[in-house]
Amino acid sequence: MSGPDPVADVLQFGSVASPDALAAELDADGYLTDDGLATAVFLALRLGRPLLLEGEAGVGKTEIAYALARRANAPLIRLQCYEGIDASQALYDWDHARQLLHLRAREASGAESDPEALEAGLYDERYLRRRPLLEAITTHGVPPVLLIDELDRADEEFEALLLEVLSNWTISIPELGTVRATVRPVVILTSNRTRELHDALKRRCLYHWIDHPDASRELEIVLRRAPAVRREVAEGIAALVAHLRSMPLLKTPGIAETIEWARAIEELGGQLDASAARRTLGAVLKHRDDLGAVGSAMPSLMAAIGR
Amino acid sequence: MSPSPATSPRAALATLAAELAGALRGQGLVVDPASVAACAEAWAFLGDTLNGLYWGARQTMVRSVGEFPAFDAGFAAFLGWTTPADDDADAVPTPIPTVHVAGDEVGGRLASRGERLAGQDIATCDEAERRDIFRSIAELRLTAPRRVGVRQVGARRGHLDLRATVRRSARFEGDLIELAWRRQRRRARRVVLLVDVSASMADYAEVLLRFGHVAVRAVGAEVFAMGTRLTRLTPLLDCDRPDEAVARINQRLVDRDGGTRLGASLECFTQQWGARGLLRGAIVVIGSDGWERDDPALLGRQMAEVARRARRVVWVNPHCGRSGFEPTAAGMAAAMPHCDALVDGANLTGIRRLNRVVAAAMAA
């Protein structure tokens, strides 16, 4: 494998000796991990491999990249994937307006009249627009955290392009030649699993599935992220959300929704009963059918959590 | 707990990882040598706690959430905890997401005869009722929203393609003489329908073939019959009248109402048609009761292959609407983990739902 040595590059975490120590680091940043996720991130740093995180929306796949970057004092470079994304949005593009200006300037000064030389002058680094992938492997200093978000939204062809970058750590620009990586970024890929990613890409990655947290861990997360919420309210909300997740909903609530809901209840006076829960349901459920189903089941839900 | 430079612990870890790989392969997982090496490397960093062994192995050797149960079984066997779980426990399929489509119920308005028939099992209908149901199917509208893709291709008109324009203008010392244009490619997802035409599906296959007629005419779907072998039906279905299409199929299809070799038919399909790219990003609809004459493991492998390449896999089973339905047919149990949706194929309501599921998947 070519490219810089992964371990030496991740200096900020060079002293982190175990998944537990890494979990403590992330904890200090306000991100609660469990054994599995801490191990996955630890291995990604140590083995220098991309980490593919899958899981339902709202379990914190994207957030872990931000927490890691903050804790490591590393820049975070995010590539949001969407259908039709291609090299000009992910790798590089040329600054066409400035290229035209360049041609005009040359013409005006009469310096260059040979079309070949004129064309060669166009494809200078100055006119190169670095998109996230090129940016991530050619920065200087601290290796960045490269977040490739919602890869399942991109087309299959894009995966092939990504695979090339992630395995060779080079990007070839026809007009300029091959650009080699100066740093090896920490790469985190996320997928909501709307489709299966290509096996060749998965083979390069560590794989981890993030589950919804259990009620006790979610309680800790809520208390951490929304300090204004009283423990009693947070406990009730965490238990309610655990029940909601076992219901056949169109859109299962994520952690952010749990936090919002706890905040909403607190804003209304901090009394968690069936009527307050029903009035604030919009904070946690984002689909009309779900609102109807859960709203009518609210008394039994409250009974189930002992309120 | 720093990695030891000595080679012998490394070699020991590699041996251990290879042993685990053997146990995982015994559970039907595919573990390549690179994963074994990665696992050994991970273990070297993690130390020999049970947590470290488990996570280090799972994160390097498994590539999909669907493989976790098999991994857990193999890992336990590797530790000598249990004998590999017996088939009953393995056959429990991972839950597949239920398809929620609004507006399934026919409202309180005057229902036509076809509407009253909507929920009736096609196998229990008389000839006149069947004709009504067929007519309702022929009236289904499957519209493929021609999504404007983000991807652009060169064209005579459209948006100005600056990259190409700048390149051309260099020839004219910076004057914009020749302009290059691009426009967004329009495209719709391909629909592929595979219909089981074996004896056990005799009552239900025709409904699906008639849906196939609608799909071929409306969105250029590809339709295949799965019996003892694979037959491409698309050209037979591509005619105006559904009755004529069905008659042509009845006349040509020689292995109709024989046994089913779902796995072998699918294998033939993935190799002949899938290899040409027919499956890439497609909506694949498989209509079958899942009764498999051959080894269901082959069907499972082929379904995994289909699921990997397709965008959505929808299984239509005429028995799944019955209360207490369990995917007990060996083939169905093997296929379920790879399906995105399961639709009832026994009545008109089910076919309408199928129509909506396909339309929604094409737009997604």
Side-chain angles (χ1 to χ4, degrees):
Chain A
M1 203 188 299
S2 61
D5 174 31
V7 183
D9 272 338
V10 192
L11 289 175
Q12 290 65 31
F13 285 109
S15 57
V16 173
S18 68
D20 288 346
L22 180 71
E25 287 281 339
L26 292 170
D27 193 348
D29 189 75
Y31 189 98
L32 284 174
T33 55
D34 58 11
D35 277 348
L37 183 58
T39 308
V41 176
F42 174 77
L43 285 177
L45 295 171
R46 278 308 164 94
L47 302 181
R49 280 185 169 225
L51 172 60
L52 169 62
L53 293 175
E54 288 191 331
E56 291 191 36
V59 293
K61 300 185 294 291
T62 302
E63 196 49 42
I64 183 80
Y66 282 96
L68 192 64
R70 275 196 303 268
R71 201 62 200 158
N73 256 329
L76 183 117
I77 297 173
R78 174 176 175 160
L79 175 65
Q80 171 66 52
C81 297
Y82 48 88
E83 188 167 354
I85 188 172
D86 63 13
S88 71
Q89 290 120 27
L91 300 181
Y92 67 91
D93 200 359
W94 292 102
D95 190 339
H96 306 296
R98 293 189 57 203
Q99 283 178 321
L100 286 175
L101 280 175
H102 166 87
L103 291 175
R104 283 291 182 198
R106 282 304 181 90
E107 189 200 29
S109 68
E112 197 78 69
S113 54
D114 175 24
E116 293 287 322
L118 203 55
E119 185 173 338
L122 277 181
Y123 299 107
D124 187 276
E125 289 238 16
R126 281 180 297 166
Y127 306 127
L128 190 64
R129 279 191 182 148
R130 287 161 199 274
R131 302 291 192 210
L133 289 180
L134 182 63
E135 177 81 36
I137 67 166
T138 57
T139 51
H140 294 280
V142 184
V145 175
L146 171 62
L147 169 64
I148 300 170
D149 216 6
E150 301 187 320
L151 180 56
D152 52 332
R153 288 190 177 198
D155 311 83
E156 284 89 353
E157 296 90 332
F158 182 71
E159 281 175 51
L161 188 132
L162 200 57
L163 184 65
E164 203 184 323
V165 177
L166 294 184
S167 44
N168 300 330
W169 300 102
T170 58
I171 291 175
S172 59
I173 302 175
E175 297 92 344
L176 214 56
T178 301
V179 179
R180 298 207 154 275
T182 54
V183 291
R184 174 90 69 93
V186 178
V187 184
I188 294 183
L189 305 104
T190 77
S191 158
N192 288 325
R193 217 160 188 280
T194 58
R195 68 179 175 86
E196 193 83 25
L197 300 180
H198 207 281
D199 211 43
L201 183 69
K202 287 182 159 190
R203 220 176 292 148
R204 298 229 40 94
C205 300
L206 294 162
Y207 175 78
H208 186 63
W209 171 270
I210 307 188
D211 264 322
H212 284 297
D214 57 24
S216 67
R217 206 161 69 82
E218 186 147 37
L219 168 65
E220 288 306 312
I221 296 172
V222 171
L223 292 173
R224 192 73 62 90
R225 298 287 292 276
V229 175
R230 269 166 298 164
R231 190 173 188 91
E232 196 201 46
V233 172
E235 269 170 1
I237 289 294
L240 272 179
V241 169
H243 276 281
L244 292 189
R245 291 203 184 117
S246 68
M247 294 172 70
L249 299 177
L250 291 173
K251 173 80 181 63
T252 319
I255 296 170
E257 280 81 17
T258 312
I259 296 169
E260 277 311 300
W261 201 13
R263 282 202 180 119
I265 293 287
E266 195 61 58
E267 284 297 321
L268 290 185
Q271 197 60 251
L272 180 56
D273 52 28
S275 107
R278 206 181 287 127
R279 269 187 297 154
T280 50
L281 216 45
V284 70
L285 296 175
K286 306 297 164 72
H287 206 285
R288 188 168 168 267
D289 294 357
D290 289 351
L291 284 173
V294 174
S296 55
M298 193 50 84
S300 59
L301 275 171
M302 294 307 276
I305 65 160
R307 300 261 173 154
Chain B
M1 206 177 359
S2 63
S4 161
T7 50
S8 60
R10 277 289 168 105
L13 286 178
T15 314
L16 216 54
E19 224 171 274
L20 172 59
L24 296 179
R25 288 185 191 117
Q27 296 293 327
L29 290 182
V30 180
V31 185
D32 57 34
S35 306
V36 177
C39 173
E41 207 184 335
W43 281 349
F45 281 114
L46 292 172
D48 54 359
T49 63
L50 186 58
N51 253 336
L53 287 177
Y54 177 82
W55 292 116
R58 203 182 86 174
Q59 288 164 2
T60 49
M61 288 175 155
V62 175
R63 288 178 205 131
S64 174
V65 63
E67 296 174 352
F68 288 171
F71 175 84
D72 287 351
F75 190 74
F78 163 71
L79 293 176
W81 281 357
T82 49
T83 51
D86 40 296
D87 287 349
D88 281 357
D90 267 10
V92 177
T94 51
I96 59 170
T98 340
V99 184
H100 300 270
V101 186
D104 270 347
E105 293 74 29
V106 177
R109 304 208 293 167
L110 276 181
S112 73
R113 185 180 153 89
E115 301 311 326
R116 273 183 285 114
L117 283 171
Q120 191 173 341
D121 192 317
I122 188 98
T124 66
C125 291
D126 62 30
E127 198 46 45
E129 289 169 335
R130 284 164 67 90
R131 268 206 304 279
D132 279 347
I133 289 175
F134 291 158
R135 196 172 307 129
S136 295
I137 292 175
E139 285 165 3
L140 285 177
R141 285 194 189 285
L142 182 60
T143 44
R146 304 244 325 149
R147 301 167 313 133
V148 177
V150 179
R151 187 179 310 246
Q152 302 196 340
V153 290
R156 301 294 296 271
R157 289 177 296 165
H159 304 289
L160 195 58
D161 180 358
L162 275 172
R163 185 174 181 155
T165 303
V166 167
R167 186 183 275 285
R168 287 183 197 178
S169 69
R171 306 242 154 75
F172 308 108
E173 296 179 357
D175 286 330
L176 294 177
I177 289 174
E178 256 192 286
L179 301 180
W181 301 91
R182 291 169 86 72
R183 80 192 315 183
Q184 284 157 326
R185 193 170 75 180
R186 287 173 175 273
R187 57 182 200 172
R189 290 200 182 282
R190 192 193 310 281
V191 175
V192 178
L193 178 65
L194 295 151
V195 182
D196 180 349
V197 292
S198 63
S200 63
M201 283 287 287
D203 290 330
Y204 304 107
E206 183 167 349
V207 190
L208 288 165
L209 291 175
R210 284 175 183 266
F211 174 73
H213 176 260
V214 172
V216 168
R217 298 296 279 175
V219 297
E222 283 285 345
V223 182
F224 297 84
M226 295 188 294
T228 49
R229 61 197 177 83
L230 185 79
T231 316
R232 181 164 177 251
L233 300 180
T234 314
L236 299 178
L237 285 168
D238 195 4
C239 60
D240 285 333
R241 291 182 19 248
D243 291 339
E244 185 191 336
V246 170
R248 283 160 74 172
I249 289 170
N250 287 339
Q251 192 184 351
R252 299 279 187 86
L253 210 55
V254 289
D255 60 343
R256 210 155 170 197
D257 303 340
T260 337
R261 300 183 61 211
L262 288 176
S265 299
L266 263 189
E267 185 172 32
C268 177
F269 173 71
T270 51
Q271 284 174 2
Q272 279 189 15
W273 298 93
R276 296 184 208 166
L278 190 66
L279 273 173
R280 274 269 172 254
I283 317 294
V284 177
V285 179
I286 298 176
S288 169
D289 52 10
W291 287 106
E292 168 70 317
R293 209 174 65 179
D294 295 343
D295 180 11
L298 174 65
L299 176 62
R301 280 199 303 278
Q302 291 307 315
M303 282 301 291
E305 185 61 29
V306 170
R308 258 196 295 279
R309 297 196 211 167
R311 178 82 179 188
R312 287 271 188 285
V313 180
V314 181
W315 193 290
V316 188
N317 187 326
H319 304 313
C320 77
R322 294 180 191 163
S323 58
F325 167 80
E326 293 282 338
T328 42
M332 199 61 224
M336 280 277 274
H338 307 291
C339 298
D340 298 305
L342 182 63
V343 177
D344 179 13
N347 52 44
L348 182 58
T349 304
I351 299 299
R352 285 182 173 154
R353 175 188 282 261
L354 172 65
N355 189 55
R356 279 193 300 275
V357 169
V358 170
M362 290 180 83

